[in-house]
Amino acid sequence: MDDILSEFLTETAENLETIEPELLRFEQDPNDAATLNNIFRLVHTIKGTCGFLGLARLEAVAHAGETLLGKFRDRTLAVTPEAVSTILRSIDRIKEILADLEATGEEPAGDDGALIGELEAAAEGHAPAAAVPEAPKVGPNGEKWDADQGRFLRPGEVSLADLEAAFRAADGPVEDNPEAAPPPAPAPAMLRAPDTDDDEARGAGSLATQSIRVNVEVLEQLMTMVSELVLTRNQLLQMVRNMENSEFKVPLQRLSTITAELQDRVMKTRMQPIGNAWKKLPRIVRDASRDLGKKIELRMEGEATELDRQVSELIRDPLTHMIRNSCDHGVERPEDRVARGKPPQGTITLRAFHEGGHIIIQIEDDGAGLPVARIREKAIGKGLVTASEAAQMTDAQIQRFIFAPGFSTAAKVTNLSGRGVGMDVVKTNVELIGGQIDLTSTEGFGTVFTIKIPLTLAIVSAMIVGSRGGRFAIPQIAVLELVRAGGPGSETRIERVNRTRVMRLRDRLLPLVDIADVLDLGTDARAEGAEPGMEYVVVMQVGGNRFGLMVDEVLDTEEIVVKPLSSLLKGITTFTGSTILGDGSVIMIVDPTGIAAHVGEIDQTADERAATADTGTDTAGAAVSMLMFEAGGREPKAVPLSLVTRIEDTPVERLERANGRAVMQYRGELVPVIHAAGDFAFAAEGSQPILMFSQGARTMGLAVDRILDIVHDRLDIELVAHTPGILGAAVIKGRATEVVDVGHFLQQGHDDWFEAATRERAPPRRVLLVETNPFFRNLLAPLLQAAGYQVTAVESTEAAWRLHARGENFDAILADTEGDPAAAETFASRLSEDTRWSGAACLALTGGTLPTPGSFADAVRKSDRHGLLAALDYALKNRGEAA
Amino acid sequence: MSTASASASGAPADAGDLFLTFEIDGGLFGARVSDVHDVFAIQSTTPVPLARPDVAGLLNLRGRIVTAIDSRVRLGHPRRQGGYQGAMAIGVERDGESYGLIVDRVSEVLRLEPGRFEDNPVNLDARWREVSRGVCQLHDRLLVAIDIDRMIDAPAAADAGFGAAA
């Protein structure tokens, strides 16, 4: 390919890139003569150069486009979206031809007749009548002779002389020099001349003579070499620092300054405004909104924000995908928007700014937001999460499932997106460049995606930490803050829930892992500098997971050059690479994602164990009265007050031993007593506080160290404990508190507790408990069991119907109406019509208030266990009589 | 550059291969000089947690990061005592990556004709069999020709894990 041609290709590609946004701007504001002139000139340049190089196809398409644009410019034709679409299509065609031209060096064969016809039709057919007489003014004949070109003009073509005249006459802020568009337009260099206008947007053109094109590879190599130079400089500095009065000091200082400057400059050559990566987006939004029948405005803020070329390139595709998603799934149809009281036109805002050595890109739409219920349903349906796990998750956690592989919320697959290869690919791509992605979304009000990426991939800011004598680098991008815990004067300290370490950070429990455990550094002595009893906690965030990484010491922050690990070490996911520090030593760079996975593993195994043991878990939102006490340690424990019959403060002497177990006389009978912290924990003297639990004729006591308080609070159980007897941990009154599983102790107290109760009524009545809230499910199931019922607990009505399908039968059905009253009512009415299950007594479990039963036989408060048992008993008796 | 490659350049090609000999835990080994990039003394290593037991750590060799392998552990011997400082390593380049094989002592370069090598004894430990190209009888002792590439790879034989060494 000859030089002129390759020059033409580069030049044209650049021109085309500017033309699209200009056209869209023009479509918005057809009166902007400056923009139109600009577009016209660009197309004209392409056409002129094509003619010069003998590229007939390109010339013909560009010519037809130019004709149409000319009509716009002369105001003989109104600007319509259809016409602009046609021009955009002609630009697409030009691009196609150019791509082939670049690949083969020759213009590909093909017929553009249809497209040209369309362009001509748009220019002529739809032109107002006034436009027709305007054309013949040029020449006396129907077909005009153009002296400059030595041939007849094509339909709609303007002679170059005319064109020049038109340029001179063009109004608006653009002041073209007469020699600005010299006919014919032979070389790109000459056509650059007219860009000497005062319009800032086009000012870049005037710089053309002062800039040269450099192959990107050269820049990459420069960058690598500078990185090496920086490292060498750092090593030298370290060496000289240890020398007294070295003669090297002064020249080294100069070398240091120059190196820093050089690094800065080379970095700059790689920097590009992020707007470059955004250029295609307005077109995408425009096309998408037309295809989808939506009105969408794309706002861009901070286009000038600079970032590394490599990063910019890598972020382009994910951004495109996300913008498409926002158009498709985010912004609603105009009629839906109006119905919701929003303006018919939706807005997508693309924003970029710098923040602490990173660049933040936000994509915000004012659309429908992410539908939590549907995502939850789908996540469960796809097996990403169990129903009970999903019930414990916050809305934000549920919404993050859209980042899960193969997840797509779109009900139908559209042309644009919804193929389920969306956000997980975006997330992977963002993480690949050391970035992070997160979202916040409010249903009905819109979604904000936030991408945080490093400015450059070559140099990373890292925190150097020490643990067990080793040093490790943690990329700053994942570090939220650094907390000193447990030392003198420190307000935070590390607490334990079972063997899991947690820290309270602004009233939230932060799971902690020790880097020494993650990396298996052994139990060697901690680093010398570390103060005893004090830990540094590096608070990190990876995606939606926040956790604390415990380290012995924090040494430094340093700009490091990431070097990939050798293939022998690639399998270790905990590290991203290694680097050479200023002192010449090698240090491992920790991969935050790998650490997060390690934290997740702990959580997951805990969940699994909890699931198999069918103990534990949690709830969100329900306000419950809790009795707080201490047993075996200072950490507060809690038990739901509704389960406690009495609190006894018994003199130690009254506790006796029988059959190897502690017992006490209580209301004329011998009652087993168990200490919540184990058998050895009974008070030696004084009195022993005991919580009494009664069920039917059975009573047992749970001895504790000290009763603390009764609190009425929303219960947010955050961690799942591994220990039998503990449901989990919650922050109650600002303190990490273990929630005790009473059912466990009941069973321990009376080995025959459940059997005894069961034997009282034979045959056992079968009760189905439909309760979405795992906390109440776990609370009520043992309670009902203790009362002699055979209980099957499920988390949803769907699960209930599955049991139905399996041929299971029940005497009574208890259904939660608190979570979704409408669904519960549907469930109950379906039940009443069912041939098999209509005979069962159907009770509604409510939260605070008692609603009307509807299709239910009765309603009962969940927290009122006596009422519940009485109502169940009554309902079953009634049913028995009726049957 | 090492003395090994220096003497290699002047030798006639058909008279057999040049071998760099070295000792690991009392045994004598040889590696083809053409496989060796350089020989260097180790200043300090940075351990790599969670890595294979025979990975001694990473080290900085003139601005390059080298993955160092403890040959003793790789061959099923106990780990070297007293750290790696001052130890000799044989540098290898593979796929643009740098590796160093830590040995106890590097000694002379020998020219050994192919005919002098015998196949591995059948009763040789599986871990050794993997890396050995054959055994050569020198007049006073035996030399095991080592395939350095294999030394870098993880032990393949299932029973040749690192259980005893770790």
Side-chain angles (χ1 to χ4, degrees):
Chain A
M1 202 188 302
D2 64 48
D3 286 349
I4 300 176
L5 187 57
S6 69
E7 177 82 359
F8 162 73
L9 284 172
T10 326
E11 199 87 22
T12 314
E14 274 177 15
N15 283 343
L16 285 174
E17 236 174 62
T18 36
I19 220 171
E20 265 184 20
E22 297 254 331
L23 259 176
L24 299 183
R25 199 164 352 130
F26 175 63
E27 187 185 15
Q28 298 291 316
D29 182 11
N31 294 320
D32 186 353
T35 310
L36 180 57
N37 268 327
N38 209 19
I39 301 164
F40 188 82
R41 207 175 316 121
L42 285 170
V43 176
H44 180 71
T45 306
I46 295 171
K47 188 190 82 167
T49 322
C50 291
F52 180 71
L53 292 171
L55 303 169
R57 251 189 95 185
L58 275 179
E59 191 194 357
V61 176
H63 168 73
E66 185 192 351
T67 310
L68 181 53
L69 284 167
K71 291 276 164 89
F72 290 160
R73 201 189 47 167
D74 300 342
R75 296 176 194 274
T76 51
L77 196 64
V79 180
T80 60
E82 289 73 32
V84 173
S85 285
T86 318
I87 290 182
L88 284 173
R89 249 182 300 130
S90 69
I91 286 167
D92 285 343
R93 180 68 57 88
I94 291 173
K95 279 185 190 162
E96 279 167 33
I97 300 173
L98 284 173
D100 274 11
L101 189 59
E102 191 169 6
T104 63
E106 277 181 32
E107 202 175 24
D111 181 27
D112 308 307
L115 181 64
I116 292 171
E118 258 179 78
L119 285 164
E120 283 171 357
E124 300 217 326
H126 304 294
V132 184
E134 205 177 312
K137 273 189 229 161
V138 178
N141 308 319
E143 281 182 311
K144 291 141 280 180
W145 176 262
D146 185 74
D148 293 316
Q149 299 196 38
R151 60 172 171 81
F152 284 105
L153 291 176
R154 298 191 184 103
E157 190 174 18
V158 188
S159 76
L160 286 164
D162 256 15
L163 185 72
E164 203 180 333
F167 265 74
R168 278 193 210 122
D171 50 6
V174 183
E175 304 258 323
D176 285 314
N177 298 323
E179 63 272 23
M190 290 176 71
L191 278 155
R192 286 245 159 173
D195 281 345
T196 47
D197 33 89
D198 49 7
D199 193 330
E200 209 184 12
R202 272 160 274 134
S206 61
L207 294 174
T209 47
Q210 290 170 35
S211 61
I212 53 160
R213 288 180 204 285
V214 180
N215 193 323
V216 169
E217 231 166 77
V218 177
L219 289 184
E220 300 285 330
Q221 284 162 1
L222 262 181
M223 192 67 213
T224 318
M225 284 159 73
V226 167
S227 302
E228 296 296 337
L229 183 62
V230 169
L231 290 180
T232 318
R233 189 249 347 234
N234 290 352
Q235 285 171 34
L236 274 175
L237 281 176
Q238 193 84 27
M239 283 160 70
V240 171
R241 208 174 286 158
N242 299 334
M243 282 189 236
E244 292 267 320
N245 299 322
S246 167
E247 56 183 315
F248 294 117
K249 259 190 183 147
V250 175
L252 190 58
Q253 194 54 49
R254 239 181 34 237
L255 175 70
S256 176
T257 321
I258 295 169
T259 312
E261 238 166 77
L262 183 64
Q263 184 188 359
D264 198 50
R265 294 292 152 85
V266 174
M267 290 270 275
K268 265 211 182 105
T269 61
R270 294 163 50 103
M271 289 300 195
Q272 275 191 339
I274 195 167
N276 286 2
W278 290 358
K279 273 200 180 128
K280 288 197 178 123
L281 300 178
R283 168 87 188 268
I284 285 164
V285 171
R286 179 193 178 274
D287 288 355
S289 50
R290 278 175 60 87
D291 290 355
L292 297 163
K294 295 176 182 178
K295 289 183 180 166
I296 306 171
E297 184 196 354
L298 179 67
R299 278 191 204 149
M300 300 202 278
E301 295 170 15
E303 290 118 302
T305 314
E306 288 200 318
L307 84 166
D308 191 284
R309 193 198 60 79
Q310 196 184 355
V311 181
S312 170
E313 213 113 286
L314 290 166
I315 201 69
R316 194 184 302 229
D317 285 349
L319 277 182
T320 309
H321 199 98
M322 289 172 76
I323 288 283
R324 282 214 175 107
N325 263 346
S326 294
C327 294
D328 199 2
H329 308 314
V331 178
E332 317 93 319
R333 304 185 157 281
E335 57 270 23
D336 297 339
R337 291 182 61 86
V338 172
R340 287 186 189 180
K342 298 187 201 176
Q345 184 176 50
T347 308
I348 297 174
T349 310
L350 193 56
R351 203 175 287 126
F353 53 93
H354 286 290
E355 193 183 88
H358 301 115
I359 187 164
I360 312 279
I361 303 172
Q362 286 183 331
I363 297 157
E364 181 177 351
D365 68 62
D366 62 348
L370 292 171
V372 176
R374 227 167 70 215
I375 295 173
R376 181 186 287 124
E377 212 172 277
K378 193 147 185 177
I380 295 168
K382 284 191 179 283
L384 298 169
V385 66
T386 66
S388 63
E389 278 166 351
Q392 313 171 19
M393 298 176 100
T394 62
D395 284 1
Q397 283 173 318
I398 297 280
Q399 284 166 339
R400 287 196 190 100
F401 273 117
I402 65 162
F403 293 124
F407 195 94
S408 170
T409 58
K412 61 172 184 197
V413 172
T414 68
N415 183 22
L416 295 170
S417 47
R419 288 179 211 91
V421 289
M423 294 310 291
D424 61 316
V425 177
V426 170
K427 181 167 186 269
T428 315
N429 284 345
V430 169
E431 277 173 0
L432 221 56
I433 54 173
Q436 298 184 354
I437 184 167
D438 202 7
L439 66 91
T440 53
S441 178
T442 315
E443 239 179 303
F445 294 95
T447 308
V448 186
F449 287 95
T450 305
I451 300 175
K452 183 177 177 185
I453 42 175
L455 279 179
T456 170
L457 301 185
I459 294 185
V460 173
S461 177
M463 182 185 275
I464 315 290
V465 300
S467 177
R468 309 294 186 268
R471 290 190 296 174
F472 301 94
I474 303 172
Q476 290 274 24
I477 190 165
V479 177
L480 291 179
E481 61 182 310
L482 187 63
V483 179
R484 218 180 62 170
S490 165
E491 285 175 12
T492 40
R493 68 204 155 82
I494 290 161
E495 294 170 76
R496 279 166 189 272
V497 174
N498 191 26
R499 271 180 296 279
T500 311
R501 273 175 288 208
V502 294
M503 185 176 74
R504 260 181 276 154
L505 189 66
R506 289 181 281 278
D507 283 344
R508 300 274 306 168
L509 284 183
L510 184 75
L512 297 182
V513 283
D514 194 328
I515 193 171
D517 294 337
V518 177
L519 300 179
D520 200 14
L521 299 181
T523 49
D524 294 0
R526 292 177 44 180
E528 270 174 39
E531 295 169 41
M534 204 190 73
E535 301 267 1
Y536 285 99
V537 174
V538 184
V539 181
M540 297 170 71
Q541 173 136 18
V542 176
N545 294 334
R546 242 163 35 104
F547 59 91
L549 188 65
M550 293 162 62
V551 300
D552 294 350
E553 48 184 344
V554 174
L555 301 159
D556 205 356
T557 57
E558 204 166 315
E559 302 276 296
I560 55 171
V561 181
V562 182
K563 308 230 174 188
L565 290 175
S566 62
S567 51
L568 194 155
L569 303 173
K570 279 263 164 65
I572 311 171
T573 54
T574 333
F575 300 113
T576 49
S578 57
T579 193
I580 299 174
L581 289 184
D583 62 4
S585 61
V586 181
I587 184 171
M588 303 300 296
I589 304 167
V590 165
D591 181 3
T593 317
I595 303 268
H598 195 275
V599 178
E601 249 167 51
I602 298 170
D603 275 0
Q604 212 178 346
T605 45
D607 286 351
E608 278 163 14
R609 266 182 244 170
T612 47
D614 195 25
T615 51
T617 78
D618 109 4
T619 168
V624 187
S625 288
M626 302 293 284
L627 178 80
M628 313 251 297
F629 60 89
E630 279 178 4
R634 306 250 77 180
E635 306 85 21
K637 294 182 166 62
V639 59
L641 187 63
S642 61
L643 298 180
V644 180
T645 325
R646 259 181 85 83
I647 300 170
E648 289 283 322
D649 210 10
T650 314
V652 177
E653 302 79 37
R654 279 186 55 199
L655 285 171
E656 297 161 67
R657 293 241 148 215
N659 206 8
R661 286 203 328 202
V663 290
M664 70 181 242
Q665 289 187 25
Y666 180 72
R667 290 182 184 171
E669 63 175 292
L670 221 49
V671 172
V673 179
I674 292 172
H675 198 288
D679 215 358
F680 52 86
F682 282 101
E685 54 185 1
S687 62
Q688 173 74 59
I690 298 175
L691 313 179
M692 304 304 296
F693 300 93
S694 310
Q695 182 59 67
R698 297 284 182 178
T699 302
M700 70 151 292
L702 184 67
V704 301
D705 293 346
R706 203 155 70 89
I707 307 283
L708 294 174
D709 201 359
I710 290 170
V711 290
H712 190 73
D713 203 353
R714 283 165 58 95
L715 199 59
D716 270 319
I717 300 191
E718 303 232 7
L719 293 176
V720 177
H722 316 164
T723 332
I726 303 292
L727 277 177
V731 177
I732 299 178
K733 284 185 95 183
R735 297 196 61 187
T737 306
E738 287 183 355
V739 179
V740 171
D741 179 7
V742 178
H744 171 76
F745 289 107
L746 287 177
Q747 204 155 12
Q748 240 190 318
H750 284 277
D751 291 335
D752 60 346
W753 182 283
F754 294 107
E755 292 93 316
T758 317
R759 255 182 271 119
E760 281 167 18
R761 303 155 198 254
R765 311 282 199 144
R766 297 198 63 191
V767 175
L768 175 64
L769 176 65
V770 186
E771 168 65 70
T772 43
N773 187 321
F775 177 74
F776 282 111
R777 203 162 62 235
N778 288 310
L779 201 67
L780 293 177
L783 188 90
L784 292 167
Q785 228 151 30
Y789 296 102
Q790 193 181 330
V791 184
T792 308
V794 294
E795 76 286 347
S796 65
T797 52
E798 289 82 22
W801 289 119
R802 277 200 291 278
L803 290 176
H804 180 273
R806 265 195 265 148
E808 306 263 354
N809 286 310
F810 297 95
D811 299 296
I813 296 167
L814 299 171
D816 166 52
T817 57
E818 198 182 10
D820 187 348
E825 173 56 34
T826 319
F827 177 65
S829 70
R830 246 184 94 181
L831 272 185
S832 61
E833 288 156 17
D834 188 76
T835 46
R836 277 199 288 128
W837 283 14
S838 58
C842 188
L843 300 186
L845 287 171
T846 73
T849 52
L850 289 175
T852 45
S855 303
F856 289 97
D858 201 354
V860 63
R861 243 184 303 237
K862 285 177 200 180
S863 49
D864 176 11
R865 68 197 183 98
H866 289 294
L868 171 66
L869 292 178
L872 188 59
D873 200 38
Y874 178 78
L876 283 169
K877 268 190 198 132
N878 266 4
R879 172 181 161 271
E881 280 159 19
Chain B
M1 252 305 141
S2 67
T3 49
S5 38
S7 50
S9 54
D14 55 345
D17 289 331
L18 281 172
F19 280 80
L20 173 67
T21 63
F22 48 90
E23 284 182 22
I24 300 169
D25 210 15
L28 186 65
F29 297 83
R32 217 176 293 190
V33 163
S34 54
D35 292 342
V36 176
H37 187 261
D38 51 6
V39 174
F40 55 90
I42 289 174
Q43 312 268 318
S44 69
T45 55
T46 301
V48 182
L50 311 178
R52 250 163 57 184
D54 61 331
V55 173
L58 300 181
L59 57 93
N60 171 11
L61 184 68
R62 299 187 288 276
R64 273 183 304 138
I65 294 181
V66 178
T67 308
I69 294 166
D70 187 334
S71 312
R72 284 175 172 244
V73 181
R74 180 66 180 82
L75 293 175
H77 291 284
R79 187 175 294 278
R80 187 191 161 89
Q81 295 297 304
Y84 297 103
Q85 194 166 1
M88 292 307 291
I90 298 171
V92 185
E93 292 283 303
R94 198 173 74 163
D95 304 330
E97 296 170 347
S98 307
Y99 294 92
L101 214 57
I102 300 176
V103 297
D104 294 347
R105 204 166 70 85
V106 177
S107 47
E108 60 198 328
V109 173
L110 295 177
R111 182 178 303 283
L112 299 170
E113 297 78 35
R116 290 181 63 183
F117 284 98
E118 287 176 41
D119 287 346
N120 292 327
V122 287
N123 57 350
L124 192 68
D125 181 274
R127 203 183 326 229
W128 284 55
R129 216 158 40 219
E130 253 177 50
V131 297
S132 167
R133 287 177 159 179
V135 180
C136 176
Q137 299 181 44
L138 302 183
H139 71 278
D140 56 345
R141 59 197 299 193
L142 297 176
L143 179 143
V144 177
I146 287 270
D147 185 334
I148 291 201
D149 237 21
R150 291 269 180 89
M151 287 286 278
I152 294 169
D153 293 329
D159 59 336
F162 291 108

